[in-house]
Amino acid sequence: QKAAPRPPPPRRRPRAAPQKKMGNDVAKNCANRMAIGAMSNVTDLERPVIQRMSEKLSDIAKREGSKDLVTKEEFGEALSGLEITQSDRDILDRIFVMLDRTGEDRINHKEFIVGIVPFALGKTEELIQMAFELYTNNASDRVTPMDLRFILMTLNTVASYFGDPVMTVAQVDKVVDDAADKLDPPPKSGELLMAELSPYVADHEFVHEFVEGKGTSRYGNKL
C-alpha cells in the first residue's frame, strides 16, 4: 500500500524589510561597515527626542548664564522626562564622558547634540541638514564656514570614538573650503545657505569616503 502523500509545507510569511537607519549613509547601507552605524540600529533615539533634548539643553545653558556649556548634573536634568531607554541613556552618558576632555564634568551641548545626529533615521543629506538646524536652534537658514567646520569635526570626532575610520583635519578643511568657494562666490557674504549646503556636503568625495567607512584616520591618531 502506497504511503499517503505528505502535505505541502506551510507557506512562510515574507519578512518585512528592516528599516534602514543612518549611522553613517552617516547609514543607508553602510551600518555593517561603521560602528556608529551599528549603534544607530540598536538605539531608539529619533529626531523628535533629539530635538527636544537640544531645546532643553539650550534652555538650561541660557538659564545658567552659559551660552554653550552644561554640567553633568544639568545634562541629567535635560534628559529627565524624555522617552529614553536605559540602554540609550548609557550610550549618551558615555558620549558625555568622551566629550568632557578636561574632566570637569562639563561639555559643549551643541557638540553633544550634533555628535548624536547619526543615531537618527535618515539619509546623509537629511541628517547633515538636521545637524545644521540643531546647531542653529532653527534660528537661521544659513551657517558660516566656521559653523560647518565645527559640525563636520564633531561628527568626525564622535565617529572616531566608536573606532570608525574618519576624515583628517585637512580633509574636513578641504570640504569647508570647497563649499565656501562653490556656494559663496565673490563678493562673499561669509554665509552658506543650508538648503544648498546639505546636498553639496553629502556629495563631497571626502564625505562619501567617510560614509563608506573608508576614512584615512582613526581615534588616537593625529588627524
Side-chain angles (χ1 to χ4, degrees):
Q1 188 175 4
K2 292 183 179 181
R6 292 181 179 181
R11 294 180 64 185
R12 293 183 179 180
R13 296 178 64 182
R15 284 185 178 182
Q19 192 175 28
K20 294 176 179 176
K21 299 184 74 175
M22 167 195 185
N24 262 25
D25 146 309
V26 139
K28 190 167 69 171
N29 59 3
C30 304
N32 60 324
R33 303 177 191 175
M34 310 253 336
I36 198 169
M39 293 300 297
S40 76
N41 288 315
V42 298
T43 64
D44 294 315
L45 295 170
E46 298 298 351
R47 178 167 186 147
V49 174
I50 295 174
Q51 176 72 46
R52 182 62 185 136
M53 194 187 310
S54 176
E55 292 168 355
K56 292 183 73 175
L57 285 167
S58 180
D59 289 345
I60 290 169
K62 290 176 182 176
R63 182 192 73 198
E64 299 301 320
S66 174
K67 181 180 178 183
D68 297 326
L69 298 178
V70 293
T71 65
K72 184 63 184 269
E73 182 178 351
E74 292 161 357
F75 176 76
E77 178 186 343
L79 267 56
S80 66
L82 298 179
E83 294 184 7
I84 300 175
T85 65
Q86 185 57 52
S87 60
D88 286 352
R89 174 61 188 263
D90 292 342
I91 293 169
L92 298 179
D93 285 341
R94 177 184 174 190
I95 294 174
F96 182 101
V97 172
M98 290 172 170
L99 294 177
D100 179 22
R101 301 179 185 90
T102 64
E104 297 178 346
D105 283 343
R106 191 183 301 269
I107 62 168
N108 182 318
H109 70 84
K110 287 188 175 182
E111 186 177 22
F112 173 82
I113 285 294
V114 169
I116 67 172
V117 162
F119 292 160
L121 177 68
K123 297 180 180 180
T124 304
E125 180 183 331
E126 296 168 343
L127 293 181
I128 289 173
Q129 178 71 21
M130 177 180 169
F132 293 157
E133 292 170 356
L134 290 172
Y135 178 81
T136 61
N137 204 23
N138 288 309
S140 175
D141 62 352
R142 298 172 187 271
V143 293
T144 68
M146 286 302 295
D147 294 335
L148 174 60
R149 188 181 191 279
F150 178 92
I151 290 164
L152 291 179
M153 283 300 301
T154 297
L155 292 171
N156 209 45
T157 299
V158 173
S160 78
Y161 290 156
F162 287 89
D164 288 326
V166 296
M167 293 180 282
T168 66
V169 171
Q171 288 173 328
V172 170
D173 287 340
K174 177 63 173 169
V175 176
V176 174
D177 290 344
D178 288 351
D181 289 344
K182 177 72 174 179
L183 303 177
D184 187 23
K188 289 187 173 293
S189 67
E191 293 183 322
L192 304 166
L193 188 64
M194 293 179 192
E196 298 175 348
L197 185 59
S198 298
Y200 181 85
V201 170
D203 200 43
H204 195 283
E205 60 176 317
F206 290 148
V207 175
H208 269 299
E209 289 176 3
F210 170 59
V211 164
E212 292 286 334
K214 298 176 182 177
T216 58
S217 187
R218 288 184 181 271
Y219 178 69
N221 295 347
K222 185 177 180 181
L223 296 180

